[in-house]
Amino acid sequence: MIKESELHPENANFRETVPAGEYFLKVVKAGETVRILDLEGNQAADTLFYNAHNPTERYSAVDTIREQGNVYLTAGSKLMSSENNVMLEITADTCGRHDTLGGACAAESNTTRYALEKKCMHACRDSWLVAVTEHEELGMTKRDITHNINFFMNVPVTADGGLTFADGISDAGKYVELRAEMDVLVMISNCPQLNNPCNAYNPTPIEVLVWS
Ligand SMILES: [Zn+2]
């Protein structure tokens, strides 16, 4: 569902550009709004959310899908935690639909899906592992890297229940905006994938904005 934001970028309290292949890590407080902006179009922003005070409570795709009765995320979607609490609500969305079924790219999946020589290509899972390794204060490890959201990524579910990675439906300047309902640690891998059309074979930067 397309829903425009009423917030203006010039009033944002925080803005940061995240190059493809890099991670983004920030606590967004309850009541604050975070926007993820697809600067050049057709990018995938692989995102994990955690309770900022207790990272064992984290975004849960299965609880979110069950509660809203739909597999796609868009404006109005409430993102549920593993404790069945609302973590964030999508309050604006100019892309229209986001995936939470396809999972994140990893050395392992790149190898099995594409070719053995793809094993050493940089992947989202590596970016998250770098994030938790460079931020020991979070007390998080590999076991905290769980199921994610792929903002802007198009993974249509076919009539017979199949999943396909299709060409993106996002475009330059499209964004998704979420209001935090609890203090949330946002961890994004701006996807470096080169083997499937999730980012048009051309990974590009995103921008993250926060309004208090
Ligand atoms: Zn990826």
Side-chain angles (χ1 to χ4, degrees), residues 10-56:
E10 58 270 25
N11 299 330
N13 305 84
F14 173 92
R15 296 181 77 158
E16 187 172 309
T17 300
V18 186
E22 297 288 327
Y23 70 83
F24 172 86
L25 199 60
K26 182 176 175 56
V27 172
V28 175
K29 295 251 170 66
E32 292 185 331
T33 295
V34 56
R35 177 186 295 186
I36 304 171
L37 171 62
D38 191 357
L39 285 170
E40 297 182 30
N42 249 336
Q43 182 55 15
D46 293 45
T47 304
L48 294 163
F49 296 111
Y50 303 86
N51 177 334
H53 307 288
N54 172 19
T56 63

Short mmCIF file of all heavy atoms in Angstrom, two decimals, residues 10-56:
data_model
loop_
_atom_site.label_atom_id
_atom_site.label_comp_id
_atom_site.label_asym_id
_atom_site.label_seq_id
_atom_site.Cartn_x
_atom_site.Cartn_y
_atom_site.Cartn_z
N GLU A 10 14.54 17.75 5.81
CA GLU A 10 15.31 18.86 6.40
C GLU A 10 15.10 18.98 7.91
O GLU A 10 15.89 19.61 8.61
CB GLU A 10 15.00 20.20 5.69
CG GLU A 10 13.55 20.61 5.69
CD GLU A 10 12.76 20.08 4.49
OE1 GLU A 10 13.14 19.05 3.90
OE2 GLU A 10 11.75 20.72 4.16
N ASN A 11 14.01 18.36 8.42
CA ASN A 11 13.77 18.38 9.86
C ASN A 11 14.30 17.15 10.58
O ASN A 11 14.12 17.02 11.79
CB ASN A 11 12.26 18.47 10.13
CG ASN A 11 11.65 19.73 9.56
OD1 ASN A 11 12.34 20.75 9.46
ND2 ASN A 11 10.40 19.68 9.16
N ALA A 12 14.91 16.23 9.86
CA ALA A 12 15.40 15.00 10.49
C ALA A 12 16.52 15.32 11.48
O ALA A 12 17.32 16.24 11.26
CB ALA A 12 15.89 14.03 9.43
N ASN A 13 16.56 14.57 12.58
CA ASN A 13 17.61 14.76 13.58
C ASN A 13 18.88 14.00 13.22
O ASN A 13 19.93 14.22 13.81
CB ASN A 13 17.15 14.23 14.94
CG ASN A 13 15.85 14.86 15.36
OD1 ASN A 13 14.79 14.39 14.97
ND2 ASN A 13 15.93 15.92 16.12
N PHE A 14 18.76 13.09 12.28
CA PHE A 14 19.89 12.22 11.96
C PHE A 14 19.76 11.81 10.50
O PHE A 14 18.68 11.45 10.02
CB PHE A 14 19.82 10.97 12.86
CG PHE A 14 20.83 9.91 12.52
CD1 PHE A 14 22.08 9.88 13.13
CD2 PHE A 14 20.53 8.91 11.57
CE1 PHE A 14 23.00 8.90 12.80
CE2 PHE A 14 21.45 7.93 11.25
CZ PHE A 14 22.68 7.93 11.86
N ARG A 15 20.90 11.86 9.78
CA ARG A 15 20.92 11.38 8.39
C ARG A 15 22.27 10.73 8.14
O ARG A 15 23.30 11.28 8.50
CB ARG A 15 20.77 12.53 7.38
CG ARG A 15 19.46 13.24 7.44
CD ARG A 15 19.38 14.35 6.41
NE ARG A 15 19.12 13.82 5.08
CZ ARG A 15 18.59 14.54 4.09
NH1 ARG A 15 18.31 15.82 4.28
NH2 ARG A 15 18.38 14.00 2.91
N GLU A 16 22.26 9.55 7.54
CA GLU A 16 23.52 8.89 7.22
C GLU A 16 23.36 8.09 5.93
O GLU A 16 22.38 7.37 5.76
CB GLU A 16 23.94 7.97 8.37
CG GLU A 16 25.33 7.39 8.18
CD GLU A 16 25.81 6.63 9.42
OE1 GLU A 16 25.74 7.20 10.54
OE2 GLU A 16 26.24 5.47 9.27
N THR A 17 24.33 8.23 5.05
CA THR A 17 24.34 7.43 3.83
C THR A 17 25.12 6.16 4.08
O THR A 17 26.20 6.19 4.69
CB THR A 17 24.97 8.23 2.67
OG1 THR A 17 24.19 9.41 2.47
CG2 THR A 17 25.01 7.44 1.37
N VAL A 18 24.57 5.03 3.66
CA VAL A 18 25.19 3.72 3.89
C VAL A 18 25.56 3.14 2.54
O VAL A 18 24.68 2.78 1.75
CB VAL A 18 24.22 2.77 4.63
CG1 VAL A 18 24.92 1.47 4.98
CG2 VAL A 18 23.62 3.44 5.87
N PRO A 19 26.86 3.01 2.23
CA PRO A 19 27.24 2.43 0.93
C PRO A 19 26.85 0.96 0.85
O PRO A 19 26.70 0.28 1.88
CB PRO A 19 28.78 2.57 0.92
CG PRO A 19 29.11 3.53 2.01
CD PRO A 19 28.02 3.41 3.03
N ALA A 20 26.69 0.44 -0.34
CA ALA A 20 26.41 -0.99 -0.52
C ALA A 20 27.58 -1.79 0.04
O ALA A 20 28.75 -1.41 -0.11
CB ALA A 20 26.23 -1.30 -2.00
N GLY A 21 27.26 -2.87 0.75
CA GLY A 21 28.29 -3.70 1.34
C GLY A 21 28.68 -3.29 2.75
O GLY A 21 29.49 -3.94 3.39
N GLU A 22 28.07 -2.19 3.25
CA GLU A 22 28.36 -1.73 4.61
C GLU A 22 27.17 -2.02 5.52
O GLU A 22 26.06 -2.23 5.05
CB GLU A 22 28.62 -0.22 4.61
CG GLU A 22 29.83 0.20 3.82
CD GLU A 22 31.15 -0.17 4.49
OE1 GLU A 22 31.20 -0.17 5.74
OE2 GLU A 22 32.11 -0.48 3.76
N TYR A 23 27.44 -1.99 6.84
CA TYR A 23 26.33 -2.15 7.77
C TYR A 23 25.97 -0.82 8.41
O TYR A 23 26.77 0.13 8.39
CB TYR A 23 26.66 -3.18 8.86
CG TYR A 23 27.72 -2.76 9.86
CD1 TYR A 23 27.39 -1.96 10.96
CD2 TYR A 23 29.04 -3.18 9.73
CE1 TYR A 23 28.35 -1.59 11.88
CE2 TYR A 23 30.00 -2.81 10.65
CZ TYR A 23 29.66 -2.01 11.72
OH TYR A 23 30.61 -1.63 12.63
N PHE A 24 24.79 -0.77 8.97
CA PHE A 24 24.31 0.40 9.70
C PHE A 24 23.75 -0.09 11.02
O PHE A 24 23.00 -1.07 11.07
CB PHE A 24 23.21 1.11 8.91
CG PHE A 24 22.53 2.21 9.68
CD1 PHE A 24 23.07 3.49 9.70
CD2 PHE A 24 21.37 1.97 10.41
CE1 PHE A 24 22.46 4.51 10.42
CE2 PHE A 24 20.76 2.98 11.13
CZ PHE A 24 21.30 4.25 11.14
N LEU A 25 24.11 0.61 12.10
CA LEU A 25 23.71 0.18 13.44
C LEU A 25 23.31 1.42 14.23
O LEU A 25 24.10 2.37 14.32
CB LEU A 25 24.93 -0.48 14.08
CG LEU A 25 24.78 -1.41 15.27
CD1 LEU A 25 23.91 -2.60 14.93
CD2 LEU A 25 26.17 -1.88 15.69
N LYS A 26 22.10 1.44 14.76
CA LYS A 26 21.68 2.60 15.56
C LYS A 26 20.48 2.22 16.42
O LYS A 26 19.61 1.47 15.99
CB LYS A 26 21.30 3.77 14.64
CG LYS A 26 20.90 5.03 15.40
CD LYS A 26 20.62 6.19 14.46
CE LYS A 26 20.09 7.41 15.23
NZ LYS A 26 20.98 7.86 16.32
N VAL A 27 20.44 2.78 17.64
CA VAL A 27 19.25 2.63 18.48
C VAL A 27 18.26 3.72 18.11
O VAL A 27 18.61 4.90 18.07
CB VAL A 27 19.61 2.70 19.98
CG1 VAL A 27 18.33 2.74 20.83
CG2 VAL A 27 20.48 1.51 20.38
N VAL A 28 17.04 3.32 17.81
CA VAL A 28 15.95 4.25 17.56
C VAL A 28 15.01 4.13 18.76
O VAL A 28 14.54 3.04 19.10
CB VAL A 28 15.23 3.91 16.24
CG1 VAL A 28 14.02 4.81 16.04
CG2 VAL A 28 16.20 4.06 15.07
N LYS A 29 14.78 5.28 19.40
CA LYS A 29 14.00 5.26 20.66
C LYS A 29 12.50 5.14 20.38
O LYS A 29 12.02 5.56 19.32
CB LYS A 29 14.27 6.55 21.44
CG LYS A 29 15.72 6.66 21.91
CD LYS A 29 15.76 6.49 23.41
CE LYS A 29 17.18 6.35 23.95
NZ LYS A 29 17.98 7.55 23.78
N ALA A 30 11.77 4.63 21.36
CA ALA A 30 10.31 4.53 21.25
C ALA A 30 9.74 5.91 20.90
O ALA A 30 10.12 6.92 21.51
CB ALA A 30 9.72 4.04 22.58
N GLY A 31 8.88 5.96 19.93
CA GLY A 31 8.27 7.23 19.50
C GLY A 31 9.00 7.89 18.35
O GLY A 31 8.44 8.76 17.68
N GLU A 32 10.27 7.51 18.12
CA GLU A 32 11.02 8.08 16.99
C GLU A 32 10.63 7.35 15.70
O GLU A 32 10.16 6.21 15.73
CB GLU A 32 12.53 7.96 17.23
CG GLU A 32 13.03 8.85 18.35
CD GLU A 32 14.54 8.82 18.51
OE1 GLU A 32 15.19 7.80 18.19
OE2 GLU A 32 15.08 9.84 18.96
N THR A 33 10.88 8.04 14.59
CA THR A 33 10.57 7.46 13.28
C THR A 33 11.86 7.34 12.48
O THR A 33 12.66 8.27 12.44
CB THR A 33 9.55 8.33 12.53
OG1 THR A 33 8.32 8.30 13.25
CG2 THR A 33 9.32 7.83 11.11
N VAL A 34 12.04 6.18 11.86
CA VAL A 34 13.22 5.94 11.03
C VAL A 34 12.77 5.71 9.59
O VAL A 34 11.77 5.04 9.34
CB VAL A 34 14.07 4.75 11.56
CG1 VAL A 34 13.26 3.47 11.68
CG2 VAL A 34 15.31 4.52 10.71
N ARG A 35 13.46 6.35 8.66
CA ARG A 35 13.17 6.16 7.23
C ARG A 35 14.38 5.51 6.58
O ARG A 35 15.52 5.90 6.83
CB ARG A 35 12.91 7.51 6.55
CG ARG A 35 12.69 7.39 5.03
CD ARG A 35 12.58 8.74 4.34
NE ARG A 35 11.40 9.51 4.76
CZ ARG A 35 11.03 10.67 4.21
NH1 ARG A 35 11.73 11.19 3.23
NH2 ARG A 35 9.96 11.31 4.67
N ILE A 36 14.13 4.52 5.73
CA ILE A 36 15.18 3.93 4.90
C ILE A 36 14.86 4.35 3.47
O ILE A 36 13.77 4.08 2.96
CB ILE A 36 15.22 2.40 5.04
CG1 ILE A 36 15.39 2.01 6.52
CG2 ILE A 36 16.36 1.81 4.20
CD1 ILE A 36 15.22 0.52 6.79
N LEU A 37 15.82 5.03 2.86
CA LEU A 37 15.60 5.66 1.55
C LEU A 37 16.45 4.96 0.50
O LEU A 37 17.68 4.84 0.65
CB LEU A 37 15.97 7.15 1.66
CG LEU A 37 16.02 7.99 0.41
CD1 LEU A 37 14.67 8.07 -0.29
CD2 LEU A 37 16.53 9.40 0.75
N ASP A 38 15.80 4.49 -0.55
CA ASP A 38 16.48 3.83 -1.67
C ASP A 38 16.96 4.93 -2.61
O ASP A 38 16.21 5.43 -3.44
CB ASP A 38 15.47 2.89 -2.35
CG ASP A 38 16.13 1.97 -3.35
OD1 ASP A 38 17.35 2.08 -3.57
OD2 ASP A 38 15.40 1.12 -3.91
N LEU A 39 18.23 5.31 -2.48
CA LEU A 39 18.71 6.52 -3.17
C LEU A 39 18.70 6.38 -4.70
O LEU A 39 18.30 7.29 -5.41
CB LEU A 39 20.13 6.85 -2.71
CG LEU A 39 20.26 7.46 -1.31
CD1 LEU A 39 21.72 7.51 -0.90
CD2 LEU A 39 19.65 8.85 -1.24
N GLU A 40 19.17 5.22 -5.19
CA GLU A 40 19.30 5.09 -6.65
C GLU A 40 18.32 4.09 -7.24
O GLU A 40 18.26 3.92 -8.46
CB GLU A 40 20.75 4.72 -7.01
CG GLU A 40 21.73 5.82 -6.61
CD GLU A 40 23.17 5.50 -6.99
OE1 GLU A 40 23.39 4.81 -7.99
OE2 GLU A 40 24.07 5.95 -6.26
N GLY A 41 17.59 3.38 -6.38
CA GLY A 41 16.57 2.45 -6.85
C GLY A 41 17.04 1.02 -6.93
O GLY A 41 18.23 0.75 -7.10
N ASN A 42 16.08 0.08 -6.76
CA ASN A 42 16.35 -1.35 -6.90
C ASN A 42 17.43 -1.88 -5.97
O ASN A 42 18.19 -2.78 -6.34
CB ASN A 42 16.76 -1.65 -8.35
CG ASN A 42 15.68 -2.46 -9.06
OD1 ASN A 42 14.91 -3.14 -8.40
ND2 ASN A 42 15.63 -2.38 -10.37
N GLN A 43 17.51 -1.33 -4.77
CA GLN A 43 18.48 -1.82 -3.79
C GLN A 43 17.75 -2.71 -2.79
O GLN A 43 16.51 -2.68 -2.71
CB GLN A 43 19.17 -0.63 -3.12
CG GLN A 43 20.24 -0.96 -2.12
CD GLN A 43 21.35 -1.86 -2.68
OE1 GLN A 43 21.47 -2.03 -3.89
NE2 GLN A 43 22.14 -2.45 -1.81
N ALA A 44 18.47 -3.54 -2.06
CA ALA A 44 17.87 -4.35 -0.99
C ALA A 44 18.55 -3.98 0.32
O ALA A 44 19.77 -3.98 0.42
CB ALA A 44 18.06 -5.84 -1.28
N ALA A 45 17.74 -3.61 1.31
CA ALA A 45 18.25 -3.25 2.64
C ALA A 45 17.85 -4.37 3.60
O ALA A 45 16.71 -4.41 4.07
CB ALA A 45 17.69 -1.91 3.09
N ASP A 46 18.79 -5.27 3.88
CA ASP A 46 18.51 -6.43 4.73
C ASP A 46 18.60 -5.99 6.19
O ASP A 46 19.66 -5.55 6.64
CB ASP A 46 19.52 -7.55 4.46
CG ASP A 46 19.36 -8.14 3.06
OD1 ASP A 46 19.22 -7.36 2.10
OD2 ASP A 46 19.41 -9.38 2.94
N THR A 47 17.48 -6.10 6.90
CA THR A 47 17.36 -5.43 8.19
C THR A 47 16.92 -6.38 9.30
O THR A 47 16.03 -7.20 9.12
CB THR A 47 16.33 -4.28 8.07
OG1 THR A 47 16.74 -3.41 7.01
CG2 THR A 47 16.23 -3.48 9.36
N LEU A 48 17.57 -6.20 10.47
CA LEU A 48 17.22 -6.92 11.69
C LEU A 48 16.87 -5.89 12.75
O LEU A 48 17.50 -4.81 12.80
CB LEU A 48 18.40 -7.77 12.17
CG LEU A 48 18.82 -8.94 11.26
CD1 LEU A 48 20.21 -9.42 11.63
CD2 LEU A 48 17.83 -10.08 11.36
N PHE A 49 15.90 -6.20 13.61
CA PHE A 49 15.54 -5.32 14.72
C PHE A 49 15.64 -6.11 16.03
O PHE A 49 15.22 -7.27 16.09
CB PHE A 49 14.10 -4.82 14.57
CG PHE A 49 13.87 -3.94 13.37
CD1 PHE A 49 13.09 -4.40 12.31
CD2 PHE A 49 14.39 -2.66 13.31
CE1 PHE A 49 12.86 -3.59 11.20
CE2 PHE A 49 14.16 -1.85 12.20
CZ PHE A 49 13.39 -2.31 11.14
N TYR A 50 16.15 -5.43 17.07
CA TYR A 50 16.26 -6.04 18.40
C TYR A 50 15.71 -5.07 19.44
O TYR A 50 15.84 -3.85 19.28
CB TYR A 50 17.74 -6.31 18.75
CG TYR A 50 18.44 -7.19 17.76
CD1 TYR A 50 19.02 -6.64 16.62
CD2 TYR A 50 18.52 -8.57 17.94
CE1 TYR A 50 19.65 -7.45 15.70
CE2 TYR A 50 19.16 -9.38 17.03
CZ TYR A 50 19.72 -8.82 15.90
OH TYR A 50 20.35 -9.62 14.98
N ASN A 51 15.18 -5.62 20.53
CA ASN A 51 14.91 -4.81 21.71
C ASN A 51 16.25 -4.25 22.18
O ASN A 51 17.18 -5.02 22.48
CB ASN A 51 14.26 -5.70 22.78
CG ASN A 51 14.00 -4.97 24.08
OD1 ASN A 51 14.66 -3.99 24.42
ND2 ASN A 51 13.04 -5.46 24.83
N ALA A 52 16.39 -2.92 22.22
CA ALA A 52 17.68 -2.30 22.52
C ALA A 52 18.18 -2.66 23.91
O ALA A 52 19.38 -2.54 24.20
CB ALA A 52 17.58 -0.79 22.37
N HIS A 53 17.28 -3.08 24.81
CA HIS A 53 17.67 -3.39 26.19
C HIS A 53 17.84 -4.88 26.41
O HIS A 53 18.33 -5.29 27.47
CB HIS A 53 16.62 -2.83 27.16
CG HIS A 53 16.37 -1.37 26.93
ND1 HIS A 53 17.29 -0.40 27.27
CD2 HIS A 53 15.32 -0.72 26.35
CE1 HIS A 53 16.81 0.78 26.92
NE2 HIS A 53 15.63 0.62 26.35
N ASN A 54 17.41 -5.67 25.46
CA ASN A 54 17.49 -7.13 25.60
C ASN A 54 17.45 -7.76 24.21
O ASN A 54 16.38 -8.11 23.71
CB ASN A 54 16.31 -7.63 26.45
CG ASN A 54 16.24 -9.15 26.46
OD1 ASN A 54 17.22 -9.84 26.16
ND2 ASN A 54 15.07 -9.68 26.78
N PRO A 55 18.62 -7.91 23.57
CA PRO A 55 18.62 -8.35 22.18
C PRO A 55 18.15 -9.79 21.96
O PRO A 55 18.01 -10.22 20.82
CB PRO A 55 20.08 -8.18 21.74
CG PRO A 55 20.87 -8.04 22.98
CD PRO A 55 19.95 -7.53 24.05
N THR A 56 17.86 -10.53 23.06
CA THR A 56 17.27 -11.86 22.83
C THR A 56 15.82 -11.71 22.35
O THR A 56 15.25 -12.64 21.80
CB THR A 56 17.29 -12.75 24.10
OG1 THR A 56 16.49 -12.14 25.12
CG2 THR A 56 18.72 -12.93 24.61
#
